[in-house]
Amino acid sequence: MTLLDYIKPLDKLVLESLAKRCSTTAGQLRQVAYGNRRASASLAIALDRETDGEIRCEMTRPDIDWAYLRNSATTTPEPTAD
């Protein structure tokens, strides 16, 4: 599902609520959905979180190596010897 497919059926209040939870505006979401603007990394992450993964970071920002970030978040750092 694309961002456009996701937001098209939303009524104005639901879209505005999603935008607020993503720290942006409904207009900005529309601009990103129609390809007129590029989502920031933080917006891509917020959309992933607020749509329960339906709009994945990889979809809105394919130029970022999300696989690396996702993998590094699951590894635990080695304890340091003092």
Side-chain angles (χ1 to χ4, degrees):
M1 171 180 287
T2 67
L3 178 57
L4 184 58
D5 292 334
Y6 187 88
I7 69 168
K8 260 189 169 182
L10 302 180
D11 69 31
K12 182 180 178 180
L13 292 177
V14 175
L15 179 60
E16 288 174 354
S17 175
L18 173 63
K20 185 175 182 178
R21 293 190 318 270
C22 292
S23 300
T24 192
T25 64
Q28 176 70 6
L29 287 180
R30 285 189 204 96
Q31 290 291 317
V32 171
Y34 281 98
N36 297 325
R37 294 193 185 222
R38 185 170 75 167
S40 65
S42 62
L43 178 55
I45 292 166
L47 283 167
D48 195 315
R49 180 187 65 238
E50 296 302 326
T51 64
D52 294 322
E54 287 193 56
I55 305 301
R56 306 238 340 151
C57 298
E58 292 84 351
M59 295 167 58
T60 53
R61 286 298 301 269
D63 59 313
I64 297 174
D65 188 0
W66 298 107
Y68 171 77
L69 293 175
R70 289 184 195 280
N71 288 335
S72 66
T74 60
T75 60
T76 55
E78 294 287 323
T80 57
D82 289 341

